[in-house]
Amino acid sequence: MGTLFFFNLFCGPGSGKGTQCANIVQHYGYTHLSAGDLLRAERDSGSENGTMIDNMIAEGKIVPSEVTIKLLERAILETDNDKFLIDGFPRNEENRAAFESVTGIEPEFVLFFDCSEEEMTRRLLSRNQGRTDDNIETIKKRFKVYMESSLPVIEYYNSKGKVRRIDATKPVEEVFDAVKACFAPSGGTIAA
């Protein structure tokens, strides 16, 4: 794949990552790869994995690593850019280890949008985007999976000094100011 520059975005569902991803793409020229969007597109394509992906998403479970990695690799190869913002993956330690093993890539750094479960739930229920996973039952399952599976990945990257923690409860503009500090030439960090 050549030299790629990318970073991961970690946060619970509803913490505002979609808004911040759009800002990062616009200001820094990264190609945004959303694992969730790639999985939903694959589900809707009628592929052989579509039904399995649909069932996993509906249950708030994590799709097998090999499926998501193949979708990410395909998306990377379909663009001329060498800077990627990957959100929603890896979701657990197995995802992380598999991705790094298959691609040989580690993130430059990891943005962690810190937001309370109550605030994320409020945001998810109010966004009304017609997504089947924006209902209270699935949201609770997604939070449980996030707490059990994704937080250990954040801890792993934090132990390597790669995590930049951002308070995602602040207004959108303030959150993006904190994001911009992470991209500053000095490699500005936000206390983790």
Side-chain angles (χ1 to χ4, degrees):
M1 281 190 200
T3 302
L4 301 177
F5 299 94
F6 83 99
F7 67 95
N8 288 89
L9 190 98
F10 276 94
C11 45
S15 59
K17 70 180 165 110
T19 300
Q20 296 307 325
C21 286
N23 287 337
I24 292 165
V25 167
Q26 180 181 354
H27 284 83
Y28 297 103
Y30 278 74
T31 295
H32 176 212
L33 300 177
S34 164
D37 289 350
L38 292 171
L39 288 167
R40 284 185 286 276
E42 185 71 9
R43 172 195 66 194
D44 297 344
S45 74
S47 76
E48 62 186 57
N49 287 323
T51 301
M52 178 272 300
I53 291 169
D54 189 44
N55 291 335
M56 299 291 281
I57 289 173
E59 288 297 314
K61 295 181 179 174
I62 297 173
V63 173
S65 296
E66 61 272 7
V67 172
T68 309
I69 291 170
K70 283 181 184 174
L71 294 174
L72 287 167
E73 284 183 310
R74 185 170 68 201
I76 288 168
L77 293 172
E78 288 175 353
T79 183
D80 292 333
N81 201 348
D82 64 351
K83 300 184 326 182
F84 298 92
L85 159 61
I86 298 178
D87 85 71
F89 192 85
R91 298 268 312 272
N92 60 27
E93 267 297 299
E94 190 275 329
N95 281 172
R96 182 202 59 76
F99 182 78
E100 289 178 7
S101 173
V102 169
T103 66
I105 301 169
E106 281 191 33
E108 298 287 318
F109 61 88
V110 173
L111 286 177
F112 173 50
F113 288 96
D114 200 3
C115 194
S116 71
E117 183 174 333
E118 295 78 21
E119 178 62 15
M120 289 187 281
T121 300
R122 186 191 66 74
R123 290 176 181 180
L124 287 170
L125 292 174
S126 68
R127 74 181 179 185
N128 193 20
Q129 293 180 341
R131 285 178 40 177
T132 58
D133 55 342
D134 280 351
N135 62 71
I136 195 67
E137 295 81 20
T138 303
I139 289 169
K140 285 181 180 180
K141 291 176 188 174
R142 290 167 65 196
F143 283 133
K144 184 175 189 295
V145 169
Y146 169 71
M147 294 302 291
E148 293 173 355
S149 301
S150 297
L151 285 181
V153 177
I154 295 164
E155 290 167 5
Y156 169 83
Y157 285 126
N158 193 47
S159 73
K160 297 184 89 171
K162 293 188 176 212
V163 173
R164 311 294 188 261
R165 185 181 302 262
I166 296 172
D167 181 354
T169 62
K170 295 183 184 249
V172 172
E173 299 79 20
E174 289 181 39
V175 172
F176 191 55
D177 284 342
V179 168
K180 288 190 282 190
C182 294
F183 284 89
S186 65
T189 61
I190 295 170

